[in-house]
Amino acid sequence: MNRLPVLFAAMTVLASASGCAAADPIHIRQADPRARELAPIPAPQDSRPSDEVETRVLRAHNAERATVGAAPLIWEDGLEREARAWAEQLLATNSFAHDPSPHGHGENLWTGWGGRTWTPEEMVGEWIAEKAQYRHGVFPAVSRTGDWTAVGHYSQLVWSRTTHVGCALVSRGDRSVLACRYSPPGNIDGLRAY
């Protein structure tokens, strides 16, 4: 098989951390050591993509956003750095999952392998293709399938309250990972994408 892209539903990683231990009559339970405090997120800074691939990824996002009347996204270097670090981690560990850290941004992931090269438009196009199952409504009731994850990349990509994006394409051997981070995040319960 020549082409094997894999997508994970767009995910907004928000954490609720508890620093308090709960008491019960028999035991004192410790706070979950995996729980973390959310760090303040600095406001995104406007910047420009640093290469042709990034420029094409941004254009592909903004072309689709224009079809639904959403304002164009602005590139942000800090989001690009986050996306690059995570994509590199995925390749280094030969894994594919959303970043569990409480970064507070939206995230879209794509991966492909098999000895072929994908264009930035094809990669972003895989997310846009989810539009076929998208049903405009209040999140999470946005998928014709009844499962929002079937359209989560698309809804994050066109989320009108999202203003900034940073993406990174990292390759090793015959595998590539495209990671994008979005600020503010989309896919928020009770809101519409646009």
Side-chain angles (χ1 to χ4, degrees):
M1 193 175 293
N2 219 9
R3 181 174 179 219
L4 301 168
V6 176
L7 304 173
F8 265 128
M11 178 177 158
T12 301
V13 180
L14 300 176
S16 59
S18 171
C20 302
D24 69 26
I26 302 170
H27 303 93
I28 302 274
R29 291 181 293 201
Q30 298 298 318
D32 184 342
R34 294 171 297 177
R36 302 178 194 177
E37 296 293 326
L38 285 179
I41 299 170
Q45 302 295 312
D46 296 1
S47 53
R48 295 198 173 162
S50 59
D51 65 26
E52 181 187 349
V53 169
E54 293 170 356
T55 299
R56 290 170 63 186
V57 166
L58 180 61
R59 279 190 199 137
H61 275 76
N62 287 338
E64 183 59 29
R65 289 173 66 84
T67 69
V68 300
L73 293 172
I74 300 164
W75 194 262
E76 207 278 326
D77 291 337
L79 294 172
E80 176 193 347
R81 281 189 299 276
E82 279 185 23
R84 182 170 309 286
W86 186 243
E88 289 172 351
Q89 175 72 17
L90 292 174
L91 286 175
T93 60
N94 196 29
S95 60
F96 192 67
H98 283 288
D99 183 350
S101 71
H103 53 75
H105 298 122
E107 179 177 72
N108 275 354
L109 298 174
W110 176 96
T111 191
W113 60 90
R116 73 157 282 207
T117 302
W118 291 268
T119 67
E121 294 80 11
E122 287 173 316
M123 290 179 251
V124 175
E126 295 279 343
W127 299 334
I128 294 170
E130 294 174 356
K131 182 178 188 175
Q133 294 300 319
Y134 180 76
R135 179 175 62 113
H136 192 59
V138 175
F139 194 84
V142 293
S143 175
R144 297 181 200 290
T145 70
D147 177 9
W148 74 266
T149 64
V151 298
H153 297 100
Y154 175 74
S155 56
Q156 172 58 83
L157 193 145
V158 298
W159 198 265
S160 64
R161 288 174 180 85
T162 298
T163 58
H164 289 73
V165 67
C167 302
L169 176 62
V170 180
S171 298
R172 182 174 297 145
D174 71 345
R175 182 173 175 218
S176 297
V177 172
L178 173 66
C180 291
R181 294 280 173 98
Y182 302 86
S183 181
N187 296 341
I188 307 295
D189 285 353
L191 299 177
R192 292 180 182 271
Y194 53 89

